């Protein structure tokens, strides 16, 4: 067995879809992946244009103690308490960063690095201690296992069985994030681009910021079991940055993250099938593979064009 | 806090490399002498025994663990001081995440957990990651924060991919590579220790030999370029060392949290140190303590990964320093502000007494306490308390006088002691001088200046007063036409039979 | 009712910024329909004055009234043109988007942008001669063009009071001319304009009123009254050292602030 298995088109692309059961099973996984990519892509677009990509990183790490606490208190991995816990931890995290930045001589980057590593470490310790007497899987939260999606119990409404609960939850999160993004698009746009003007027009800039942080926590928590806290950063950053090579309007970037999410999920799934490795990680790897040619070849802003034009100028 | 250029003699710069070579030898010596019985399975020993065992350091492996974690703390602390002052903290984080695929590939290469292979793989991946960030920033419109996020998560994902792949291969089950994610100090071996020693020695060598160049280029890059220092080369050398330092500490602290040991001790040191050399020392010391305590705790609870423990310990120290530090610490600040509030209260009360006396045209040495408290307004009780404290500190003396109506309690009179008089005069003088300064020099309207003078009077120093007096050619009256107590009045003390400025 | 009030009324305004005093006891009343230039050396507190009016910095003392309202409420009557450096020019928005932002204040929270808004926005772009670039990303414009876009946005706001922070800095001659023309036209429409300016030589032609600022108000009045050698000397001739020194000691000191008003005289 070698690192790179033989490329077998049929095995990679047909085998997962050969029987009906496999189709349903894998379809659920891919759907989950798509929903995760879409949710994170929308939130991530706003985060990236606000130059807060690393804040996203920090918060996705920083929510861990909140998750652990919520788990210890409620004893379940249900989304509700997890989200509340993570929101509390996320907001505390960003508050600590701001406080250190403005009230102490510590610089922004150091404050960021300091707070989120401390939070993360606390969370890991709490989970580690809890793991001995409960069946929470710290590995799952840290790395995620999207492959377990079809194992989730069905959502029941009375006697009606509506299908996979995890998918419904994720779908609900995606819908709420998407609706919020459409409804408050104007407010987010103006308070990101020109906060002064925004405030003069009565847009609550701070609340918009807070709302973004909350939806960031929500997106992170919801996609936690699928991709884990570290890879979720990639889901935030990759779609937005890739899209920004092609589009120069925020709304187009947000929209373009949807087809990108589709591609990541499907591409990553088959990549994982080829290499027989982690699904979530290979989705990110696929995103990276898509990013590289875009970075070089994108119209106007691609590196290749830039280098050639530089050379022309040199002549 | 900006590092201040330290005034070291040119001689020290030249002889320091010898010191670090010496240091390398010492490390070698430590390694050689770390001989002893191999550690036995410690699972079934009680907590107390384990603590004792660790602290006695009789075991060979315990010694390795202790020395290793301390050395890592030192090297990360030293490196961190540069990372933090140059605002590269998040580069450190990206770097540590980016080495994961390198570790995985290094493992794959030799199909075993060989330290050299892992180190080479990790170094290459780390450099590739940093190069990616730099290139993205330089050649594309991707901003720095996004570039860091991309590289961090992208490389990490590749690493996870390969790791999960390895676990499914035949030799994968013996990998134990997950210790690299969060660190496990007990898996530290002698060869790891060598790596740590070498990286520490290199760091010390580099820092001591380039100490001035580092200082200048960190403080002002343009200036150092203009001086012809090899800033670029130093920059790259620093990157290399940083990578080396992070990689050698991965075994103990893990990929995900490695940046914490760079940032937190250095950030704590930045709260304390004012000079770069003390900064580095404090940072290294804190790193060492955090490393040691973390390793100790991790040794106690067998299953807990070391990385998070070290980070939590380091953060605890950071918080302690943040709240208790001498110059700006929260507790010290609180005490200071209380003292200042008291002082201001007292000064305001003295002023009120002066004003009451002035209203009586200094005919009486004592004034009615009632009147003073009324003048100060709000909260009669607290005002009375303020007077008590004035009496306690010897600014004011109290006398009772029988009330005309015998049934009412005695009326209280207070008078200023010489010390009190001096202070009261000083504060009134400050107030009125400032009002005059604002109206005459800064052209403010006379009805505007009182509020400001209320604040300034408490902070106006003697020297500034002299300056203002000179500027206004020793004025006698404030803009409202009231007399300004002169220096003579201040010094003279209260003399009831010779009221203030009577001769004018 | 709003128009009967003075557009800007400042009383005894003291502002400190990161524990450094920047403005000290400023009094100012601006009449409706005046074109005011604010002039002073670097660090004289020009931008701080604007920011205080815009309610971005809380004053340590005194107050600002905008059409008789406190800044928090009055800010909605202001059209603000920020300093060009203060905006992230890589932000993915087109010229049209930026100008449309000027209309946001007129919309309700959930309202979409109407056709009429688009029409007004294109008219404003037309006025500054930028309509042909409406679909460009703002980062691809030259400095002067960016400034004109901002001006168009301010026009689209249809405010009564405009505040501009160095609109003339780093722009080409065409833009400068356009801006001056726009300013004159806006003044004719009865709008009040407050403009921070750094170039003494051109100030005389551009503005009707001048505010000379250097930590404190040195002078305020019509160009003829204020533009004198003596006053300019005072504005640019260094600070009152003792004043700035002492003010920096008290600024941001909570204990002093707290106790300051508890005595009455």
């Amino acid at each position: 067995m070698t690192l790179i298995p033989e490329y077998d088109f049929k095995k990679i692309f047909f085998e997962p879809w050969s029987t009906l059961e496999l189709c349903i099973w894998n379809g659920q996984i891919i759907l989950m992946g798509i929903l995760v990519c879409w949710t994170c892509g929308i939130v991530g677009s706003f985060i990236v244009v606000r130059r807060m990509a690393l804040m996203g990183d920090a918060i996705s790490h920083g929510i861990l103690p909140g998750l652990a606490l919520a788990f210890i208190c409620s004893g379940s991995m249900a989304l509700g308490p997890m989200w509340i816990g993570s929101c509390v931890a996320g907001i505390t995290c960003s508050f600590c960063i701001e406080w250190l930045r403005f009230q102490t001589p510590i610089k922004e980057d150091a404050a960021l690095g300091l707070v989120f590593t401390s939070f993360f470490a606390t969370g890991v310790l709490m989970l580690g201690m809890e793991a001995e007497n409960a069946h929470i899987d710290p590995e799952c939260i840290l790395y995620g296992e999207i492959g377990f999606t079809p194992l989730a119990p069905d959502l029941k409404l009375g006697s009606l069985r509506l299908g996979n609960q995890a998918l419904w939850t994720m779908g609900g999160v995606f819908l709420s994030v998407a609706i919020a993004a459409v409804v408050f698009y104007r407010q987010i746009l103006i308070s990101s681009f020109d906060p002064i003007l925004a405030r003069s027009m009565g847009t609550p800039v701070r609340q918009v910021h807070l709302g973004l942080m909350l939806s960031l926590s929500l997106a992170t928590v919801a996609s936690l079991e699928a991709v884990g806290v570290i890879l979720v950063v990639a889901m935030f950053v990759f779609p937005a940055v890739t899209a920004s090579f092609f589009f120069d309007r925020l709304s187009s970037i947000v929209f373009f993250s949807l087809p990108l999410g589709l591609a990541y999920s499907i591409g990553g799934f088959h990549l994982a099938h080829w290499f027989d490795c982690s699904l979530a990680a290979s989705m990110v790897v696929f995103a990276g593979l898509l990013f590289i040619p875009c970075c070089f070849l994108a119209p106007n802003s691609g590196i290749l064009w830039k280098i050639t034009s530089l050379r022309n100028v040199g002549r | 806090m900006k590092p201040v250029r330290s005034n070291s003699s040119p001689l020290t710069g030249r002889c320091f490399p010898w010191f670090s070579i010496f240091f390398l030898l010492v490390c070698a010596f430590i390694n050689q002498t770390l001989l002893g019985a191999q550690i036995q399975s410690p699972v079934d020993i009680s907590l107390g025994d384990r603590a004792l065992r660790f602290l006695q350091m009789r075991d060979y492996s315990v010694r390795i663990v202790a020395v290793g974690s301390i050395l890592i703390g030192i090297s990360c602390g030293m490196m961190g001081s540069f990372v933090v002052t140059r605002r590269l903290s998040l580069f450190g984080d990206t770097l540590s995440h980016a080495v994961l695929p390198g570790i995985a590939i290094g493992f794959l290469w030799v199909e075993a957990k060989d330290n050299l292979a892992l180190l080479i793989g990790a170094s290459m991946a780390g450099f590739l990651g940093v190069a990616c960030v730099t290139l993205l920033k330089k050649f594309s419109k991707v901003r720095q924060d996004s570039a860091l996020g991309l590289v961090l998560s992208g490389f990490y994902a590749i690493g996870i991919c390969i790791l999960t792949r390895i676990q499914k291969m035949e030799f994968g089950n013996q990998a134990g590579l997950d210790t690299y994610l969060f660190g496990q100090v007990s898996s530290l071996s002698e060869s790891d220790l060598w790596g740590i020693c070498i990286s520490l020695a290199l760091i010390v060598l580099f820092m001591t030999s380039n100490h001035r160049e580092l200082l200048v280029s960190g403080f002002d890059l343009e200036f150092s370029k203009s001086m012809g220092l090899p800033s670029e080369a130093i920059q790259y050398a620093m990157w290399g060392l940083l990578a080396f330092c992070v990689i050698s500490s991965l075994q103990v602290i893990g990929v995900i949290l490695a940046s914490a040991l760079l940032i937190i001790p250095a950030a704590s040191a930045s709260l304390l140190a004012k000079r770069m050399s003390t900064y580095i020392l404090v940072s290294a010391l804190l790193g060492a303590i955090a490393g040691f305590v973390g390793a100790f705790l991790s040794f106690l609870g067998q299953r807990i990964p070391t990385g998070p423990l070290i980070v939590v310990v380091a953060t605890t120290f950071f918080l302690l320093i943040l709240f208790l530090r001498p110059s700006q610490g929260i507790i010290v600040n609180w005490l200071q502000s209380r003292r200042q509030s008291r002082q201001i209260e007292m000064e305001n009360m003295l002023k009120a007494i002066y004003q009451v006396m002035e209203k009586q045209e200094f005919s009486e040495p004592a004034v009615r306490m009632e009147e003073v408290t009324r003048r100060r307004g709000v909260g009669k009780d607290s005002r009375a308390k303020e007077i008590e404290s004035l009496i306690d500190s010897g600014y004011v003396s109290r006398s009772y006088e029988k009330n005309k109506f015998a049934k009412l309690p005695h009326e209280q009179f207070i008078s200023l002691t010489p010390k009190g008089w001096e202070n009261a005069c000083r504060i009134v003088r400050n107030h009125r001088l400032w009002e005059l300064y604002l109206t005459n020099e800064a052209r403010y309207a006379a009805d505007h200046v009182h509020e400001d003078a209320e604040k300034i009077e408490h902070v106006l120093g003697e020297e500034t007063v002299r300056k203002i007096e000179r500027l206004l050619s020793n004025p006698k009256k404030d803009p409202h036409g009231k007399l300004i107590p002169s220096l003579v009045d201040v010094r003279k003390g209260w003399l009831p039979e010779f009221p203030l400025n009577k001769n004018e | 009712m709003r128009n009967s009030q003075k557009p800007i009324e400042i009383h005894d305004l003291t502002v400190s910024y990161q524990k450094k005093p920047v403005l000290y006891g400023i009094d100012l009343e601006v009449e409706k329909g005046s074109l005011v230039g604010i002039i002073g050396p670097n660090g004289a507190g020009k931008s701080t004055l604007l920011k205080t009016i815009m309610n971005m910095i809380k004053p340590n003392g005194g107050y600002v009234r905008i059409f008789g309202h406190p800044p928090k409420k009055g800010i909605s009557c202001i059209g603000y043109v920020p300093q060009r450096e203060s905006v992230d020019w890589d932000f993915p928005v087109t010229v049209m988007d930026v100008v449309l932002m000027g209309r946001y204040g007129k919309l309700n929270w959930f309202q979409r942008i109407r056709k009429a808004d688009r029409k007004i926005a294109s008219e404003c772009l037309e006025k500054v001669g930028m309509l042909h670039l409406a679909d460009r990303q703002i980062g691809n414009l030259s400095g002067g063009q960016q400034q004109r876009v901002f001006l168009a946005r301010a026009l689209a706001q249809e405010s009564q009071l405009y505040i501009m922070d160095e609109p003339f800095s780093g722009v080409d001659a065409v833009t400068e001319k356009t801006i001056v023309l726009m300013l004159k036209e806006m003044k004719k429409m009865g709008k009040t304009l407050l403009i921070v300016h750094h170039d003494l030589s051109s100030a005389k032609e551009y503005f009707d009123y001048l505010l000379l600022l250097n930590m404190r108000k040195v002078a305020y009045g019509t160009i003829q009254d204020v533009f004198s050698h003596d006053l300019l000397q005072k504005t640019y001739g260094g600070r009152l050292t003792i004043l700035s020194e002492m003010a920096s000691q008290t600024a941001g000191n909570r204990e002093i602030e707290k106790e300051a008003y508890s005595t009455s005289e």
Side-chain angles (χ1 to χ4, degrees):
Chain A
M1 202 168 162
T2 54
L3 177 66
I4 301 177
E6 209 177 315
Y7 178 73
D8 182 351
F9 184 80
K10 207 173 144 207
K11 181 175 165 266
I12 297 166
F13 289 100
F14 284 109
E15 238 167 52
W17 312 104
S18 51
T19 65
L20 187 64
E21 276 124 55
L22 271 177
C23 269
I24 292 173
W25 182 271
N26 291 328
Q28 283 180 347
I29 292 176
I30 285 192
L31 188 59
M32 186 69 177
I34 290 171
L35 286 174
V36 167
C37 286
W38 283 359
T39 313
C40 295
I42 290 173
V43 178
S45 304
F46 293 116
I47 301 280
V48 167
V49 296
R50 286 170 80 105
R51 301 194 171 215
M52 282 166 50
L54 289 168
M55 194 70 174
D57 181 31
I59 291 206
S60 64
H61 281 71
I63 60 168
L64 198 62
L67 289 180
L69 208 64
F71 176 77
I72 292 167
C73 292
S74 74
S76 77
M77 295 264 288
L79 187 68
M82 288 289 225
W83 183 45
I84 294 170
S86 74
C87 280
V88 170
I91 299 294
T92 320
C93 188
S94 69
F95 174 77
C96 286
I97 293 170
E98 302 279 300
W99 187 79
L100 281 180
R101 230 178 106 185
F102 292 115
Q103 304 296 324
T104 68
I106 290 168
K107 301 288 177 310
E108 184 187 6
D109 62 330
L112 208 73
L114 197 153
V115 171
F116 89 76
T117 47
S118 309
F119 270 61
F120 191 70
T122 318
V124 170
L125 283 186
M126 285 163 83
L127 280 182
M129 285 171 191
E130 196 56 24
E132 290 177 8
N133 44 26
H135 54 270
I136 186 169
D137 190 4
E139 301 248 316
C140 185
I141 284 186
L142 293 179
Y143 323 122
E145 189 45 81
I146 200 169
F148 292 158
T149 309
L151 293 176
D154 280 358
L155 183 72
K156 279 177 201 148
L157 204 71
S159 59
L160 209 63
R161 290 163 72 90
L162 288 172
N164 196 317
Q165 190 181 3
L167 279 176
W168 277 109
T169 321
M170 197 65 221
V173 171
F174 165 67
L175 265 186
S176 48
V177 166
I179 289 170
V182 169
V183 170
F184 298 116
Y185 175 76
R186 221 151 29 83
Q187 280 76 14
I188 304 172
L189 174 69
I190 192 171
S191 64
S192 308
F193 177 65
D194 193 345
I196 307 162
L197 182 76
R199 205 174 301 166
S200 82
M201 289 177 167
T203 309
V205 178
R206 283 187 66 89
Q207 279 86 327
V208 168
H209 180 83
L210 195 72
L212 263 178
M213 291 291 116
L214 287 182
S215 44
L216 185 75
S217 314
L218 179 64
T220 311
V221 179
S223 34
L224 208 61
E225 280 180 71
V227 293
V229 285
I230 296 165
L231 291 178
V232 79
V233 179
M235 299 293 177
F236 286 128
V237 184
F238 271 102
V241 176
T242 312
S244 70
F245 282 123
F246 298 99
F247 298 99
D248 43 19
R249 293 187 68 186
L250 182 57
S251 51
S252 329
I253 291 177
V254 176
F255 275 119
F256 193 61
S257 69
L258 301 182
L260 276 178
L262 211 67
Y264 291 169
S265 181
I266 296 172
F269 175 79
H270 292 292
L271 197 68
H273 254 263
W274 179 12
F275 285 105
D276 190 21
C277 62
S278 158
L279 273 162
S282 54
M283 271 161 66
V284 176
V285 171
F286 190 79
L289 290 178
L290 267 186
F291 170 78
I292 293 167
C294 293
C295 178
F296 278 98
L297 298 171
N300 300 326
S301 48
I303 291 181
L304 217 58
W305 311 135
K306 245 183 209 169
I307 291 175
T308 44
S309 71
L310 273 183
R311 222 177 249 168
N312 290 342
V313 168
R315 265 175 218 161
Chain B
M1 212 163 288
K2 290 268 154 60
V4 185
R5 191 179 172 163
S6 75
N7 41 359
S8 71
S9 73
L11 231 166
T12 44
R14 220 169 289 148
C15 66
F16 258 133
W18 293 110
F19 167 72
S20 33
I21 290 169
F22 169 75
F23 191 81
L24 193 66
L25 289 176
V26 169
C27 291
F29 180 72
I30 292 173
N31 258 342
Q32 286 303 309
T33 47
L34 276 172
L35 291 169
Q38 275 294 330
I39 196 164
Q40 286 115 30
S41 162
V43 178
D44 43 6
I45 308 174
S46 76
L47 204 67
D49 285 344
R50 247 186 266 154
L52 203 65
R53 190 169 148 192
F54 188 86
L55 293 175
Q56 282 176 336
M57 304 245 167
R58 241 182 260 137
D59 287 335
Y60 175 64
S61 69
V62 169
R63 264 176 273 169
I64 281 199
V65 163
V67 171
S69 54
I70 289 176
L71 291 184
I72 282 173
I74 293 175
S75 61
C76 282
M78 290 178 84
M79 214 56 222
S81 60
F82 285 92
V83 168
V84 168
T85 49
R86 286 168 188 237
R87 310 202 177 183
L88 297 172
S89 309
L90 296 165
F91 263 82
D93 188 40
T94 307
L95 185 76
S96 67
H97 280 71
V99 298
L100 193 64
I103 289 176
I105 288 175
F107 176 78
L108 212 62
W109 183 26
V110 292
E111 303 202 347
K113 215 172 113 192
D114 177 76
N115 283 302
L116 189 67
L118 295 188
L119 193 71
I120 292 169
S123 312
M124 275 160 61
F127 283 122
L128 199 62
V130 171
C132 278
V133 173
T134 321
L135 289 179
L136 275 179
K137 217 176 79 184
K138 207 166 177 181
F139 287 113
S140 79
K141 63 175 194 174
V142 180
R143 287 95 161 246
Q144 173 163 329
D145 63 324
S146 306
L148 287 172
L150 286 176
V151 170
L152 182 150
S153 54
F155 272 62
Y156 184 80
I158 298 174
I160 293 285
C161 263
I162 303 177
L163 280 185
T164 46
R165 175 94 189 116
I166 287 172
Q167 270 162 17
K168 286 172 183 155
M169 291 155 97
E170 55 264 39
F171 53 89
N173 47 0
Q174 51 146 336
L177 281 179
D178 49 337
T179 58
Y180 276 101
L181 286 174
F182 287 116
Q184 188 47 264
V185 80
S186 51
S187 64
L188 210 61
S189 69
E190 201 185 314
S191 55
D192 292 326
L193 205 58
W194 271 110
I196 296 165
C197 284
I198 293 170
S199 87
L200 178 57
L202 280 177
I203 290 169
V204 173
L205 184 81
F206 177 70
M207 281 191 179
T208 47
S209 56
N210 293 309
H211 151 250
R212 268 162 300 151
E213 286 84 347
L214 278 174
L215 204 58
V216 175
S217 65
F219 180 62
D220 186 348
L221 193 65
E222 294 304 311
F223 176 66
S224 86
K225 272 184 192 158
S226 74
M227 273 170 55
L229 293 173
S231 318
E232 301 258 315
I234 286 181
Q235 187 85 1
Y236 290 122
M238 260 199 44
W239 282 124
L241 272 184
L242 181 62
F244 211 52
C245 168
V246 166
I247 290 156
S248 67
S249 57
L250 286 184
Q251 184 87 33
V252 169
I253 191 155
V255 167
I256 299 169
L257 291 168
S259 62
L261 199 51
L262 288 172
I263 301 168
I264 301 176
S268 330
S270 77
L271 296 174
L272 291 176
K274 291 192 170 52
R275 290 181 48 195
M276 198 63 202
S277 45
T278 28
Y279 189 165
I280 297 172
L281 278 181
V282 172
S283 170
L285 184 71
L286 286 170
I289 296 173
F292 182 77
V293 177
F296 174 62
L297 291 176
S298 159
F299 189 80
L300 291 187
Q302 287 292 302
R303 291 178 49 193
I304 302 176
T306 320
L309 279 173
I310 294 181
V311 175
V312 168
V313 172
T315 309
T316 316
F317 277 112
F318 171 76
L319 290 178
L320 284 178
I321 290 172
L322 182 64
F323 291 121
L324 301 177
R325 80 200 134 122
S327 59
Q328 281 281 301
I330 281 163
I331 291 174
V332 177
N333 261 3
W334 181 72
L335 287 176
Q336 235 167 28
S337 94
R338 235 182 67 143
R339 203 182 314 137
Q340 200 177 3
S341 290
R342 277 248 184 90
Q343 174 84 17
I344 291 170
E345 265 171 23
M346 237 144 75
E347 288 179 348
N348 280 340
M349 186 58 85
L350 285 173
K351 191 174 63 179
I353 297 172
Y354 182 95
Q355 283 162 349
V356 173
M357 283 163 65
E358 189 179 47
K359 219 168 102 195
Q360 300 166 350
E361 295 179 329
F362 302 102
S363 54
E364 300 281 332
V367 292
R368 215 173 257 120
M369 195 159 139
E370 278 280 285
E371 233 164 307
V372 177
T373 48
R374 202 185 312 136
R375 193 168 188 91
R376 287 280 281 132
V378 289
K380 214 170 166 187
D381 288 347
S382 66
R383 295 306 175 208
K385 214 175 271 168
E386 277 173 37
I387 291 182
E388 288 299 322
S389 75
L390 275 181
I391 292 168
D392 288 344
S393 13
Y395 288 113
V396 166
S397 59
R398 174 168 34 196
S399 54
Y400 293 95
E401 201 166 283
K402 218 163 197 182
N403 204 296
K404 286 172 210 138
F405 311 100
K407 275 179 189 163
L408 290 169
H410 292 302
E411 230 174 326
Q412 294 191 19
F413 278 80
I414 48 178
S415 55
L416 291 168
T417 63
K419 192 171 140 201
W421 168 254
E422 194 186 318
N423 274 296
C425 276
R426 187 175 54 81
I427 220 75
V428 173
R429 180 203 58 188
N430 286 355
H431 183 102
R432 293 179 181 171
L433 259 183
W434 188 252
E435 287 187 340
L436 198 64
Y437 171 76
L438 284 186
T439 44
N440 285 11
E441 286 296 307
R443 309 272 168 125
Y444 284 81
D447 55 339
H448 258 58
V449 291
H450 170 72
E451 284 168 8
D452 194 61
E454 280 289 315
K455 299 180 204 167
I456 299 287
E457 62 187 15
H458 303 292
V459 290
L460 216 54
E462 273 314 295
E463 215 172 290
T464 323
V465 168
R466 288 295 93 73
K467 256 192 242 163
I468 297 175
E469 277 180 340
R470 222 174 303 132
L471 209 65
L472 302 169
S473 44
N474 292 319
K476 297 277 186 252
K477 287 188 175 177
D478 79 350
H480 309 296
K482 286 184 181 157
L483 285 172
I484 300 173
S486 69
L487 195 65
V488 186
D489 295 319
V490 174
R491 296 254 172 84
K492 192 160 54 183
W494 169 244
L495 294 169
E497 64 278 357
F498 187 64
L500 178 85
N501 288 343
K502 205 168 194 178
N503 41 359
E504 278 169 292
Chain C
M1 78 207 165
R2 183 175 276 181
N3 293 350
S4 65
Q5 296 272 6
K6 294 226 165 65
I8 288 191
E9 211 184 319
I10 295 172
H11 178 75
D12 197 18
L13 186 75
T14 298
V15 185
S16 65
Y17 192 56
Q18 287 174 346
K19 299 214 168 181
K20 287 202 182 73
V22 197
L23 294 174
Y24 212 76
I26 308 271
D27 279 323
L28 181 68
E29 274 181 20
V30 176
E31 296 292 336
K32 191 167 170 290
S34 40
L35 175 51
V36 184
I38 303 174
I39 281 192
N42 281 338
K46 291 171 290 181
S47 291
T48 311
L49 179 64
L50 297 197
K51 283 179 182 159
T52 317
I53 296 174
M54 297 291 294
N55 197 29
M56 285 153 63
I57 303 174
K58 288 256 166 335
N60 299 63
Y63 62 79
V64 175
R65 290 282 176 276
I66 301 160
F67 291 112
H69 301 296
K72 201 171 175 188
K73 204 170 154 210
I75 193 174
S76 56
C77 323
I78 302 179
Y80 184 60
V81 179
Q83 237 169 350
R84 214 149 44 77
E85 293 80 42
S86 70
V87 170
D88 174 9
W89 290 102
D90 291 336
F91 201 91
V93 283
T94 59
V95 169
M96 194 61 182
D97 289 334
V98 175
V99 180
L100 277 174
M101 281 179 194
R103 302 299 303 168
Y104 286 4
K106 303 261 184 276
L107 301 173
N108 290 332
W109 257 77
F110 302 108
Q111 215 171 355
R112 311 297 310 167
I113 293 165
R114 297 159 298 191
K115 267 237 173 74
D117 294 322
R118 284 184 190 283
K119 201 167 149 251
I120 291 170
S122 359
E123 277 168 17
C124 295
L125 269 178
E126 180 80 70
K127 268 187 203 162
V128 296
M130 291 283 296
L131 192 56
H132 59 292
L133 297 174
D135 289 327
R136 283 273 197 98
Q137 200 247 327
I138 44 161
N140 296 333
L141 303 179
S142 73
Q145 289 171 328
Q146 290 173 342
Q147 196 67 59
R148 277 190 269 165
V149 173
F150 268 3
L151 201 68
R153 186 178 75 177
L155 281 178
Q157 273 182 276
E158 295 177 335
S159 308
Q160 286 306 306
L161 169 64
Y162 284 101
I163 293 184
M164 306 187 184
D165 202 347
E166 304 247 3
F168 296 108
S169 80
V171 301
D172 50 296
V174 181
T175 307
E176 187 151 348
K177 220 175 223 167
T178 324
I179 297 177
V180 173
L181 276 176
M182 300 302 313
L183 294 183
K184 298 256 145 102
E185 195 178 311
M186 283 152 94
K187 193 191 78 182
K188 259 185 220 147
M189 286 155 71
K191 320 228 157 171
T192 314
L193 298 124
L194 222 64
I195 291 152
V196 167
H197 195 54
H198 64 284
D199 183 15
L200 260 182
S201 54
S202 54
K204 211 169 171 181
E205 312 158 29
Y206 292 169
F207 307 117
D208 306 341
Y209 292 85
L210 267 191
L211 169 65
L212 300 181
L213 199 70
N214 188 355
M215 252 185 78
R216 66 212 195 277
K217 181 179 89 180
V218 178
Y220 173 69
T222 57
I223 286 273
Q224 291 86 352
D225 295 343
V226 174
F227 207 81
S228 69
H229 180 77
D230 186 35
L231 284 172
L232 290 175
Q233 185 75 37
K234 225 171 207 158
T235 316
Y236 285 89
R239 291 146 177 259
L240 294 165
T241 41
I242 299 178
L243 181 66
S244 62
E245 210 174 274
M246 292 324 292
S248 69
Q249 277 193 36
T250 45
N253 191 325
R254 261 179 295 132
E255 289 70 42
I256 291 177
E257 299 287 333
K258 195 171 62 193
E259 288 291 324
Y261 300 104
S262 53
T263 44
S264 48
E265 192 168 358

